[in-house]
């Protein structure tokens, strides 16, 4: 029986960036080209459901190790509970001498490591990183940070991939309609967006899709007199998201921390101009003034000014949206990114099928 690549992360039907990434891997054919067995270590739901998913994944993984079926481990990791939940997978791989890839996604991993972990935990985290054969991060900024904490394992900056949708005629988009997708709350800049909208002479319609602080966001919008303009959609599924990306005219993500957000790349792939912040890997996707605008996180005045500029100049928004799609075609489309993952697999002993 040939050995397999065990890939571990959140379930395919789970909310969040990791599930979006691994679904692109699957849909772009990576699972057909390599003998990948996917283990979902996390799922949405209550504590019992989450514990059941983790224990089930551990049991299946251990059985494969004991029967010598695992040739490579590829784990998608974020911060806090995600990191600790994946730790047993790495420790078992080290015990059974299985090469491992740690694929770091956590937008707040710097905060987790530097502010929330003491010296012993930081030493343990470094040991996990250094016990692997390869570390994958989402941007050059993250590569520099990981190397700066004393990680000596080779670190590769490999962008998140997106599937390129069919091009949308700009005239079919709703004029002045804003779109935000993500977990509502301070980290994603949701309240800053509401404050910026309140500064505009005439607030446009803003569609906010995602879970998180939905009630607080709705209350805040009403307090700012924007109860009619700010529409909360809840978590949107793939079909609804595709429709929103094809119909809105400006994508807004004023985050304080990011890895490389899939929603932003998906908006660019759909041909939308982006208004975001220069955090995480975003500056490697969006050049200020080319594919959109970047403003400092928390600068509500600048956010409002750039919104007003894009709303008042549809031709500029259209040009930026076209530039965003071209950037994805050359740099972030699955055909440009997945060969980098496949190269790692080949270096670690797995030729392409």
């Amino acid at each position: 029986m040939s050995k397999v690549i065990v890939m571990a992360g959140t379930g395919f039907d789970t909310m969040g960036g990791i599930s979006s990434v691994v679904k692109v891997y699957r849909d772009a054919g990576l699972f057909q080209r390599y003998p990948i067995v996917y283990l979902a270590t996390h799922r949405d739901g209550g504590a019992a459901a989450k514990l059941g998913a983790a224990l089930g994944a551990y049991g299946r993984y251990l059985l494969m190790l004991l029967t010598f079926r695992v040739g490579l481990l590829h784990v998608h990791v974020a911060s806090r509970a995600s990191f600790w939940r994946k730790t047993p997978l790495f420790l078992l791989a080290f015990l059974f001498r299985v090469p491992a890839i740690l694929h770091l996604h956590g937008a707040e991993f710097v905060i987790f490591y530097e502010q929330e972990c003491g010296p012993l935990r930081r030493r343990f985290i470094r040991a996990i990183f250094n016990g692997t054969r390869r570390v994958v991060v989402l941007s050059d900024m993250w590569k520099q940070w990981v190397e700066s904490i004393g990680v000596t394992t080779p670190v590769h900056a490999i962008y998140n991939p997106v599937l390129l949708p069919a091009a949308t005629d700009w005239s079919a988009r709703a004029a002045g309609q804003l779109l935000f997708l993500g977990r509502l709350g301070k980290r994603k800049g949701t309240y800053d967006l509401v404050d910026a909208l309140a500064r505009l002479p005439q607030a446009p319609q803003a569609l906010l899709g995602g879970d998180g602080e939905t009630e607080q966001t709705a209350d805040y919008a009403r307090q700012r007199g924007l109860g009619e303009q700010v529409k909360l959609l809840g978590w949107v599924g793939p079909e609804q998201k595709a429709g929103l990306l094809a119909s809105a005219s400006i994508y807004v993500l004023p985050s304080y921390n990011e890895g490389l957000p899939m929603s932003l790349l998906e908006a660019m792939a759909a041909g939308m101009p982006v208004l975001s912040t220069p955090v995480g890997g975003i500056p490697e996707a969006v050049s200020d003034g080319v594919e959109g605008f970047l403003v400092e996180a928390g600068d509500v005045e600048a956010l409002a000014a750039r919104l007003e500029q894009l709303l008042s100049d549809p031709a500029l928004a259209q040009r930026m949206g076209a530039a965003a799609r071209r950037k994805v075609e050359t740099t972030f489309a699955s055909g440009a990114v997945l060969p980098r993952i496949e190269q790692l697999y080949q270096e670690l002993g797995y030729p392409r099928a």
Side-chain angles (χ1 to χ4, degrees):
M1 185 180 296
S2 60
K3 292 189 176 184
V4 301
I5 300 171
V6 170
M7 183 182 292
T10 54
F12 289 123
D13 57 352
T14 303
M15 304 176 190
I18 290 178
S19 63
S20 297
V21 171
V22 295
K23 280 187 287 190
V24 173
Y25 286 180
R26 180 195 62 188
D27 296 343
L30 184 68
F31 289 18
Q32 285 71 51
R33 294 190 291 274
Y34 291 85
I36 295 174
V37 174
Y38 191 78
L39 297 182
T41 58
H42 179 70
R43 55 164 293 179
D44 291 331
K50 293 177 179 178
L51 179 61
L55 292 178
Y58 296 156
R60 189 178 174 196
Y61 174 60
L62 181 57
L63 180 61
M64 286 190 288
L65 286 170
L66 291 172
T67 53
F68 304 101
R69 290 191 57 211
V70 183
L72 177 63
L73 176 69
H74 181 175
V75 185
H76 298 274
V77 174
S79 53
R80 304 183 179 100
S82 174
F83 180 85
W84 302 122
R85 187 167 53 246
K86 310 296 174 47
T87 293
L89 303 179
F90 289 114
L91 294 177
L92 285 170
F94 301 160
L95 178 64
F96 282 83
R97 300 186 181 278
V98 171
I101 298 172
L102 188 155
H103 199 140
L104 182 62
H105 294 262
E108 294 188 315
F109 202 88
V110 174
I111 296 173
F112 164 64
Y113 177 85
E114 295 182 352
Q115 300 179 24
E116 298 172 5
C117 292
L120 290 178
R121 285 193 172 190
R122 289 197 294 270
R123 182 181 299 176
F124 179 80
I125 291 170
R126 290 195 302 272
I128 294 293
F129 274 77
N130 284 325
T132 66
R133 294 285 293 277
R134 300 288 190 277
V135 173
V136 175
V137 294
L138 305 184
S139 68
D140 288 332
M141 183 284 291
W142 280 101
K143 181 177 187 294
Q144 293 169 12
W145 180 80
V146 168
E147 291 174 339
S148 75
I149 67 171
V151 172
T152 56
T153 295
V155 182
H156 299 262
I158 301 178
Y159 297 131
N160 283 336
V162 291
L163 298 174
L164 200 67
T168 301
D169 190 332
W170 186 264
S171 63
R173 295 186 179 276
Q177 186 179 83
L178 311 183
L179 179 64
F180 167 100
L181 297 172
R183 180 153 290 174
L184 305 180
K186 179 175 172 57
R187 183 178 75 82
K188 292 281 188 179
T190 308
Y191 303 112
D192 291 344
L193 174 57
V194 173
D195 285 337
L197 293 173
R199 293 183 178 222
L200 300 179
Q202 184 174 355
Q205 183 184 50
L207 305 179
L208 277 59
D211 61 346
E213 298 176 9
T214 53
E215 294 183 7
Q216 298 93 321
T217 301
D219 289 343
Y220 194 71
R222 285 192 291 268
Q223 293 169 17
R224 302 289 279 153
L226 298 170
E228 297 298 320
Q229 289 82 10
V230 176
K231 184 177 180 181
L232 301 183
L233 308 176
W235 190 262
V236 298
E239 291 185 7
Q240 184 183 5
K241 179 166 66 173
L244 292 167
L245 292 171
S247 61
S249 59
I250 302 170
Y251 187 77
V252 189
L253 188 71
S255 299
Y256 285 75
N257 303 100
E258 286 290 356
L260 182 58
M262 285 293 287
S263 64
L264 180 141
L265 297 179
E266 291 167 343
M268 294 175 66
M272 296 176 67
V274 169
L275 177 53
S276 192
T277 52
V279 299
I282 292 176
E284 294 174 42
V286 180
S287 298
D288 185 41
V290 180
E291 296 87 10
F293 290 118
L294 299 178
V295 301
E296 292 299 321
D299 191 340
V300 174
E301 184 175 347
L303 182 62
R306 289 305 194 189
L307 273 175
E308 178 66 17
Q309 184 176 357
L310 287 169
L311 290 167
S312 63
D313 192 345
L316 172 64
Q318 182 177 2
R319 288 196 303 274
M320 287 183 162
R325 184 176 171 90
R326 289 194 298 271
K327 183 70 168 286
V328 168
E329 289 175 341
T330 60
T331 310
F332 299 102
S334 58
V337 174
L338 286 186
R340 300 280 311 282
I341 296 293
E342 296 185 28
Q343 181 182 354
L344 295 185
Y345 289 172
Q346 291 160 18
E347 291 173 359
L348 295 174
Y350 277 87
R352 180 169 173 164

Coordinates of all heavy atoms in Angstrom, one line a residue, residues 182-219:
G182 N -16.3 38.9 6.0 CA -15.4 38.5 7.0 C -16.1 38.5 8.4 O -17.3 38.7 8.5
R183 N -15.3 38.2 9.4 CA -15.9 38.1 10.7 C -16.0 39.5 11.3 O -15.0 40.2 11.5 CB -15.0 37.3 11.6 CG -15.4 37.1 13.1 CD -14.9 35.8 13.7 NE -15.6 34.7 13.0 CZ -15.2 33.4 13.3 NH1 -14.3 33.1 14.1 NH2 -15.9 32.4 12.7
L184 N -17.3 39.9 11.5 CA -17.5 41.3 12.0 C -16.9 41.6 13.3 O -17.0 40.7 14.2 CB -19.0 41.5 12.0 CG -19.8 41.3 10.7 CD1 -21.3 41.6 10.9 CD2 -19.3 42.1 9.6
G185 N -16.3 42.7 13.5 CA -15.7 43.1 14.7 C -14.5 44.1 14.5 O -14.2 44.5 13.4
K186 N -13.9 44.4 15.6 CA -12.8 45.4 15.6 C -11.6 45.0 14.7 O -11.1 45.8 14.0 CB -12.3 45.7 17.0 CG -11.2 46.8 17.0 CD -10.8 47.1 18.4 CE -9.6 48.0 18.5 NZ -9.8 49.3 17.7
R187 N -11.2 43.7 14.8 CA -10.0 43.3 14.0 C -10.2 43.5 12.5 O -9.2 43.9 11.9 CB -9.7 41.9 14.3 CG -8.4 41.4 13.6 CD -8.0 40.0 13.9 NE -8.8 39.0 13.2 CZ -8.6 38.7 11.9 NH1 -7.6 39.2 11.2 NH2 -9.3 37.7 11.4
K188 N -11.4 43.3 12.0 CA -11.6 43.5 10.6 C -12.0 44.9 10.2 O -12.2 45.2 9.1 CB -12.7 42.6 10.1 CG -12.3 41.1 10.1 CD -11.5 40.7 9.0 CE -11.3 39.2 8.9 NZ -10.5 38.8 7.7
G189 N -12.0 45.8 11.2 CA -12.3 47.2 11.0 C -13.8 47.5 10.7 O -14.1 48.5 10.1
T190 N -14.7 46.7 11.2 CA -16.1 46.9 10.8 C -16.6 48.2 11.4 O -17.3 48.9 10.7 CB -16.9 45.7 11.5 OG1 -16.3 44.5 11.1 CG2 -18.4 45.8 11.0
Y191 N -16.3 48.5 12.6 CA -16.8 49.8 13.2 C -16.2 51.0 12.5 O -16.8 52.1 12.3 CB -16.6 49.8 14.7 CG -17.2 48.6 15.4 CD1 -16.4 47.6 16.0 CD2 -18.6 48.4 15.4 CE1 -16.9 46.5 16.6 CE2 -19.1 47.3 16.0 CZ -18.3 46.4 16.6 OH -18.9 45.3 17.2
D192 N -14.9 50.9 12.1 CA -14.3 52.0 11.3 C -15.0 52.2 10.0 O -15.2 53.3 9.6 CB -12.8 51.6 11.0 CG -11.9 51.6 12.3 OD1 -12.4 52.2 13.3 OD2 -10.8 51.1 12.2
L193 N -15.4 51.1 9.4 CA -16.2 51.3 8.1 C -17.5 52.0 8.3 O -17.8 52.9 7.6 CB -16.4 49.9 7.5 CG -17.3 49.8 6.3 CD1 -16.8 50.7 5.2 CD2 -17.5 48.4 5.8
V194 N -18.2 51.6 9.4 CA -19.4 52.3 9.7 C -19.2 53.8 10.0 O -19.9 54.7 9.5 CB -20.2 51.7 10.9 CG1 -21.4 52.5 11.3 CG2 -20.6 50.3 10.6
D195 N -18.1 54.1 10.7 CA -17.8 55.5 11.0 C -17.4 56.3 9.7 O -17.8 57.4 9.6 CB -16.6 55.6 12.0 CG -17.0 55.2 13.4 OD1 -18.2 55.4 13.7 OD2 -16.1 54.9 14.2
A196 N -16.7 55.6 8.8 CA -16.4 56.2 7.6 C -17.6 56.5 6.7 O -17.7 57.6 6.1 CB -15.4 55.4 6.8
L197 N -18.5 55.6 6.7 CA -19.8 55.8 5.9 C -20.5 57.0 6.5 O -21.2 57.8 5.8 CB -20.6 54.5 6.0 CG -20.1 53.3 5.3 CD1 -21.0 52.1 5.6 CD2 -20.0 53.5 3.8
A198 N -20.5 57.1 7.8 CA -21.2 58.3 8.4 C -20.6 59.6 8.1 O -21.3 60.6 8.2 CB -21.2 58.1 10.0
R199 N -19.4 59.6 7.6 CA -18.7 60.9 7.3 C -19.0 61.3 5.8 O -18.7 62.4 5.4 CB -17.2 60.8 7.4 CG -16.8 60.6 8.9 CD -15.3 60.6 9.0 NE -14.9 60.5 10.4 CZ -13.9 61.1 10.9 NH1 -13.1 62.0 10.2 NH2 -13.5 61.0 12.2
L200 N -19.6 60.4 5.0 CA -19.8 60.7 3.6 C -21.1 61.6 3.5 O -22.0 61.5 4.3 CB -20.0 59.4 2.8 CG -18.8 58.5 2.8 CD1 -19.2 57.2 2.0 CD2 -17.6 59.1 2.3
P201 N -21.1 62.5 2.5 CA -22.2 63.4 2.3 C -23.5 62.6 2.1 O -24.6 62.9 2.6 CB -21.8 64.2 1.0 CG -20.4 64.1 1.0 CD -20.0 62.8 1.6
Q202 N -23.4 61.5 1.4 CA -24.5 60.6 1.1 C -24.0 59.1 1.2 O -23.3 58.7 0.4 CB -25.2 60.8 -0.2 CG -26.4 60.0 -0.5 CD -27.1 60.4 -1.8 OE1 -26.7 61.3 -2.4 NE2 -28.1 59.6 -2.1
A203 N -24.4 58.5 2.3 CA -23.8 57.1 2.5 C -24.4 56.1 1.5 O -25.6 56.1 1.2 CB -24.2 56.6 3.9
P204 N -23.5 55.3 0.9 CA -24.0 54.3 -0.1 C -24.5 53.1 0.6 O -24.4 53.0 1.9 CB -22.7 54.0 -0.9 CG -21.6 54.2 0.2 CD -22.1 55.3 1.1
Q205 N -25.0 52.2 -0.1 CA -25.4 50.9 0.5 C -24.2 50.0 0.7 O -23.3 49.9 -0.1 CB -26.4 50.1 -0.4 CG -26.9 48.8 0.2 CD -27.7 48.0 -0.7 OE1 -27.4 47.8 -1.9 NE2 -28.9 47.6 -0.2
A206 N -24.1 49.5 2.0 CA -22.9 48.7 2.3 C -23.5 47.3 2.7 O -24.3 47.2 3.7 CB -22.1 49.3 3.5
L207 N -23.0 46.3 2.0 CA -23.4 44.9 2.3 C -22.3 44.2 3.1 O -21.2 44.1 2.7 CB -23.7 44.1 1.0 CG -24.6 44.7 0.1 CD1 -24.8 43.9 -1.2 CD2 -26.0 44.9 0.7
L208 N -22.6 43.8 4.4 CA -21.6 43.2 5.2 C -22.0 41.7 5.5 O -23.0 41.4 6.1 CB -21.6 43.9 6.6 CG -20.8 45.2 6.7 CD1 -21.2 46.3 5.7 CD2 -20.8 45.7 8.1
G209 N -21.2 40.8 4.9 CA -21.4 39.4 5.1 C -20.4 38.8 6.0 O -19.2 39.1 5.9
G210 N -20.9 38.0 6.9 CA -20.0 37.3 7.9 C -20.7 37.1 9.2 O -21.7 37.7 9.5
D211 N -20.0 36.3 10.1 CA -20.5 36.1 11.4 C -19.7 37.0 12.3 O -19.1 38.0 11.9 CB -20.3 34.6 11.8 CG -18.9 34.2 11.8 OD1 -18.0 34.9 11.2 OD2 -18.5 33.1 12.3
G212 N -19.7 36.7 13.6 CA -19.0 37.6 14.6 C -20.0 38.5 15.3 O -21.1 38.1 15.7
E213 N -19.6 39.8 15.4 CA -20.3 40.8 16.2 C -21.4 41.4 15.4 O -21.4 42.6 15.1 CB -19.4 41.8 16.8 CG -18.3 41.2 17.7 CD -17.3 42.2 18.2 OE1 -17.5 43.5 17.9 OE2 -16.3 41.8 18.8
T214 N -22.4 40.5 15.0 CA -23.4 41.0 14.1 C -24.4 42.0 14.8 O -24.7 43.0 14.2 CB -24.2 39.8 13.5 OG1 -24.7 39.0 14.5 CG2 -23.3 39.0 12.5
E215 N -24.9 41.6 16.0 CA -25.8 42.5 16.7 C -25.2 43.8 17.1 O -25.8 44.9 16.9 CB -26.4 41.7 17.9 CG -27.2 40.5 17.6 CD -27.8 39.9 18.8 OE1 -27.6 40.5 19.9 OE2 -28.4 38.8 18.7
Q216 N -23.9 43.7 17.5 CA -23.2 44.9 17.9 C -23.0 45.9 16.7 O -23.1 47.1 16.8 CB -21.8 44.6 18.5 CG -21.9 43.8 19.8 CD -21.8 42.3 19.6 OE1 -22.4 41.8 18.6 NE2 -21.1 41.6 20.4
T217 N -22.7 45.3 15.5 CA -22.5 46.1 14.3 C -23.8 46.7 13.9 O -23.9 47.9 13.5 CB -22.0 45.2 13.2 OG1 -20.7 44.6 13.6 CG2 -21.8 46.0 11.9
A218 N -24.9 46.0 14.0 CA -26.2 46.5 13.6 C -26.6 47.7 14.5 O -27.1 48.7 14.1 CB -27.3 45.4 13.6
D219 N -26.4 47.5 15.8 CA -26.7 48.5 16.8 C -25.8 49.8 16.5 O -26.3 50.9 16.6 CB -26.4 48.0 18.2 CG -27.4 47.0 18.7 OD1 -28.5 46.9 18.1 OD2 -27.2 46.3 19.7

